[in-house]
Amino acid sequence: MLTLLVLGALAFLIYRFIIYPVYISPLSKIPAAHFTASWSPLWMLWVRYSRVEVQTIHEAHVKYGPVVRLAPDEISINCVDSGLRTVYAGGFEKPYFYDQFDNYGVPCMFSTKEGKPHSIRKRMMSNVYSKTYVQSSKDGFWLFRSILFDRLMPVLESAAKSESPVDVHELNYATTMDFICCWLFGLGNDSNFIQDVDMRRKYLGWHFGRSEHSFWFAELPTLTTLLQSIGIRMVPQWVDKANDEMQAYLLQLCRRADQSMQTEIDYSEKGYPLQKTRPVVYSQLAESMKASTTKPEGGEKNQVPGETELHLASELLDHVIAGMDTSAITLTYLLWEMSKHPDIQVALRKDLRKISPTLVLENSHNLPSARSVDALPVLQSIIMETLRLHPAIPGPQPRITPLTPTSIAGSPPLPGGVRVSAQAYSLHRNEDVFGKAEEWHPKRWFFTEPAGYEEMLRWFWAFGSGGRMCIGKNFALQELKFVVATIYSNFTTTVVDDAGIEQMDGYTGPPAGNQLRLKFTRLEPEGPEGARMPPVFPPGYVVPGQE
């Protein structure tokens, strides 16, 4: 009897873990990226642990096509019509992978797995991230002017005068941190990492240190927690300390912003130049959360995530990390490519002369309208091409198939619970869409015929797609455009040391060497005809585009 039970159990295990996944499962019709992928997840776990996931998946797509099997219950897709649109526009929910992005032990919008609570949270703050709001905001005008001309330009001008190379990768993190913190918490309540070098390096030490140990809680959270409970730590204890320090720092910014909400900002000429701005996102989110917990007349209380200070802080810490990390990586690769292409610098400089006032240091009292900078075609093509070739998040964006069987990228109907993902790295390297896809060619966005341009946009995935598309896209693009426009209105750049510039293989893709040193050379301030431009001081304070 015991023998029969043992044989029966063995037969069941063979069927469940070998015969069914390899020969019967709907996924068995999908090409496997590795000979073990059909019956074991261990190969894919090892690939992720070894930090070669992005390249490995890309090579599998090149070899096998738009859909490949990575594990018994996991596939990767690399197509638009029956892939991205089905999964990401179709509202597939997120897996436990995103639990790693919780802060203070509570979820944020990005880590929320279910669609409905995500939509509720998004509606609370989407208006202050809309393109119209970002471009026309008085607070945005002043924080952009202050960061560019009071903080960033003096650093670069000093380096140019002394002919000292600048580690722009570290400076980019400082710059993007200051931008996102000013937008969230207000100018005067922010990080000021451009000027506060000691605090900048302390914070970045916490940030980079914790990032190196994300595998365990992202892929094996249950095992990691279990081992930790018996004293076996897969993640060093100092990572917990780094998380605690970052969270404590963010809470300080939240409390500063909360106190400043009582202060009225004078946007008139008397207030020129502004030293403080409203905490745009903090105030919007705090008020929305407060309203969501108020019982309406004759109705029930609308219970949503975000009813405590920690829920608010969790959301804003996610914005800080994402807004700093992705924009800094993009700026680093953009400056690197521009420094290797002096001809593109010249073309951009001609483009920049179209705006008024120009962004030369002699005009530092004012800014051109955000709309005029946004409309510059050469600048747009440079940013789009950098985001294409060097996406800050090149790695997979996993989702889970719904209970209703669904066909993806021509596959048989897949059961619920299958992990499916696409990655920008592979989408952006489709040679049929992006000719010479491994090369940086901004002109492809400038001279391509309309049909080809639209096709490139369909495959462009730097900000994701669907309802969970990056909420900060418009702010990030405006930030990138103003920083790049201001730098190349005043300086030329050349490479001094780009050792380790290759992108790391992972969910995010910073330079492996975590540095890039450039030389900045000051340009003579010129007018459209080459004449030296004197400073122009208007009789009254007028914000362009907001008259």
Side-chain angles (χ1 to χ4, degrees):
M1 184 65 178
L2 181 60
T3 302
L4 288 175
L5 289 174
V6 171
L7 290 174
L10 182 60
F12 172 79
L13 292 174
I14 292 173
Y15 173 81
R16 173 65 181 82
F17 294 105
I18 298 179
I19 296 176
Y20 178 79
V22 175
Y23 301 106
I24 301 175
S25 166
L27 279 74
S28 65
K29 310 300 188 295
I30 298 172
H34 188 263
F35 75 94
T36 65
S38 297
W39 52 272
S40 172
L42 293 179
W43 171 75
M44 198 62 218
L45 287 171
W46 176 253
V47 165
R48 290 185 173 122
Y49 178 77
S50 303
R51 300 185 184 182
V52 292
E53 176 184 18
V54 175
Q55 190 61 40
T56 300
I57 292 174
H58 180 65
E59 290 171 359
H61 280 299
V62 170
K63 184 175 182 179
Y64 296 112
V67 56
V68 293
R69 191 179 190 181
L70 304 179
D73 294 315
E74 181 178 0
I75 64 171
S76 175
I77 57 173
N78 191 43
C79 54
V80 176
D81 290 330
S82 58
L84 295 185
R85 290 185 175 180
T86 300
V87 175
Y88 298 92
F92 285 28
E93 295 187 344
K94 290 185 170 182
Y96 62 79
F97 171 87
Y98 291 92
D99 289 344
Q100 64 177 309
F101 298 103
D102 290 351
N103 303 302
Y104 306 96
V106 295
C108 57
M109 181 179 69
F110 184 69
S111 66
T112 300
K113 293 187 280 295
E114 300 80 15
K116 185 174 181 180
H118 172 273
S119 297
I120 293 172
R121 177 63 61 80
K122 185 177 181 179
R123 286 196 298 270
M124 289 182 175
M125 55 188 166
S126 58
N127 65 310
V128 295
Y129 279 111
S130 70
K131 187 171 185 176
T132 300
Y133 190 98
V134 171
Q135 288 188 342
S136 62
S137 167
K138 293 180 180 180
D139 299 290
F141 171 86
W142 281 108
L143 74 88
F144 271 68
R145 195 212 67 83
S146 180
I147 294 173
L148 290 171
F149 289 111
D150 296 342
R151 301 184 190 181
L152 180 60
M153 288 301 105
V155 172
L156 298 182
E157 189 167 30
S158 175
K161 286 179 179 178
S162 64
E163 299 186 352
S164 303
V166 178
D167 182 357
V168 293
H169 187 56
E170 180 181 329
L171 185 60
N172 288 341
Y173 269 91
T175 302
T176 56
M177 180 70 167
D178 286 1
F179 268 108
I180 190 60
C181 283
C182 281
W183 190 240
L184 298 178
F185 307 111
L187 182 66
N189 305 318
D190 65 292
S191 50
N192 195 9
F193 278 2
I194 294 175
Q195 296 175 329
D196 190 347
V197 178
D198 290 340
M199 189 62 218
R200 173 213 306 177
R201 289 177 176 167
K202 183 184 293 185
Y203 185 92
L204 292 179
W206 301 331
H207 174 73
F208 292 132
R210 70 199 283 270
S211 305
E212 294 175 0
H213 298 276
S214 61
F215 167 81
W216 292 100
F217 279 110
E219 300 298 336
L220 298 168
T222 303
L223 175 63
T224 303
T225 302
L226 178 62
L227 291 174
Q228 190 166 305
S229 69
I230 58 174
I232 302 174
R233 296 189 63 94
M234 307 309 296
V235 178
Q237 194 163 5
W238 61 262
V239 173
D240 295 340
K241 176 68 172 174
N243 283 326
D244 292 343
E245 294 284 5
M246 289 179 67
Q247 292 176 0
Y249 179 79
L250 192 282
L251 275 176
Q252 292 178 10
L253 299 185
C254 286
R255 289 163 185 167
R256 278 190 227 161
D258 194 67
Q259 293 172 2
S260 73
M261 287 172 65
Q262 311 306 318
T263 303
E264 190 163 336
I265 307 297
D266 182 5
Y267 295 104
S268 71
E269 186 177 342
K270 295 178 182 178
Y272 175 90
L274 260 63
Q275 302 300 317
K276 284 187 173 292
T277 60
R278 290 186 313 115
V280 174
V281 180
Y282 181 91
S283 58
Q284 171 69 26
L285 191 54
E287 290 300 322
S288 296
M289 287 182 171
K290 182 178 179 181
S292 74
T293 61
T294 303
K295 186 176 180 179
E297 186 78 24
E300 294 185 359
K301 184 178 177 182
N302 181 18
Q303 294 284 351
V304 296
E307 297 173 356
T308 69
E309 181 186 42
L310 292 186
H311 283 91
L312 179 59
S314 177
E315 187 63 51
L316 297 178
L317 179 55
D318 181 69
H319 292 218
V320 165
I321 294 171
M324 175 188 71
D325 221 12
T326 55
S327 294
I329 293 169
T330 302
L331 270 177
T332 293
Y333 282 104
L334 189 152
L335 295 175
W336 179 58
E337 293 286 7
M338 289 289 285
S339 299
K340 297 187 299 174
H341 295 85
D343 57 319
I344 305 296
Q345 294 187 43
V346 172
L348 175 59
R349 204 161 292 118
K350 290 179 181 178
D351 209 28
L352 294 172
R353 290 174 181 168
K354 300 173 184 176
I355 56 177
S356 179
T358 58
L359 285 161
V360 295
L361 293 179
E362 289 71 22
N363 289 338
S364 62
H365 62 283
N366 213 341
L367 287 181
S369 70
R371 293 180 184 88
S372 67
V373 175
D374 183 54
L376 295 173
V378 177
L379 180 60
Q380 170 75 1
S381 67
I382 288 167
I383 288 175
M384 290 292 286
E385 182 66 355
T386 303
L387 289 167
R388 181 199 69 81
L389 185 59
H390 305 288
I393 301 181
Q397 307 285 318
R399 297 292 188 268
I400 292 293
T401 57
L403 293 177
T404 303
T406 306
S407 176
I408 302 171
S411 74
L414 303 179
V418 174
R419 176 166 161 169
V420 54
S421 59
Q423 58 179 27
Y425 182 92
S426 296
L427 290 162
H428 292 177
R429 281 165 170 76
N430 184 338
E431 284 289 345
D432 294 333
V433 178
F434 306 102
K436 298 182 179 179
E438 292 289 351
E439 299 178 13
W440 190 76
H441 287 303
K443 291 179 181 179
R444 78 172 77 243
W445 298 95
F446 199 71
F447 293 112
T448 303
E449 71 283 355
Y453 184 83
E454 290 299 320
E455 186 67 4
M456 288 195 298
L457 288 180
R458 280 179 6 101
W459 284 78
F460 183 78
W461 213 52
F463 297 100
S465 58
R468 290 185 182 257
M469 187 177 185
C470 174
I471 193 173
K473 171 188 173 182
N474 296 314
F475 183 82
L477 286 173
Q478 182 165 312
E479 169 192 3
L480 290 170
K481 288 184 176 183
F482 266 97
V483 171
V484 174
T486 306
I487 288 174
Y488 287 103
S489 291
N490 296 282
F491 303 95
T492 61
T493 60
T494 51
V495 175
V496 175
D497 180 7
D498 62 356
I501 194 62
E502 62 276 5
Q503 274 190 280
M504 292 181 66
D505 188 309
Y507 183 77
T508 55
N514 209 32
Q515 66 93 39
L516 171 64
R517 296 186 182 279
L518 302 181
K519 179 183 178 181
F520 287 78
T521 302
R522 183 77 159 89
L523 289 164
E524 282 295 314
E526 294 181 344
E529 304 303 325
R532 194 173 183 86
M533 291 177 60
V536 179
F537 296 95
Y541 155 50
V542 178
V543 178
Q546 299 174 18
E547 296 85 345

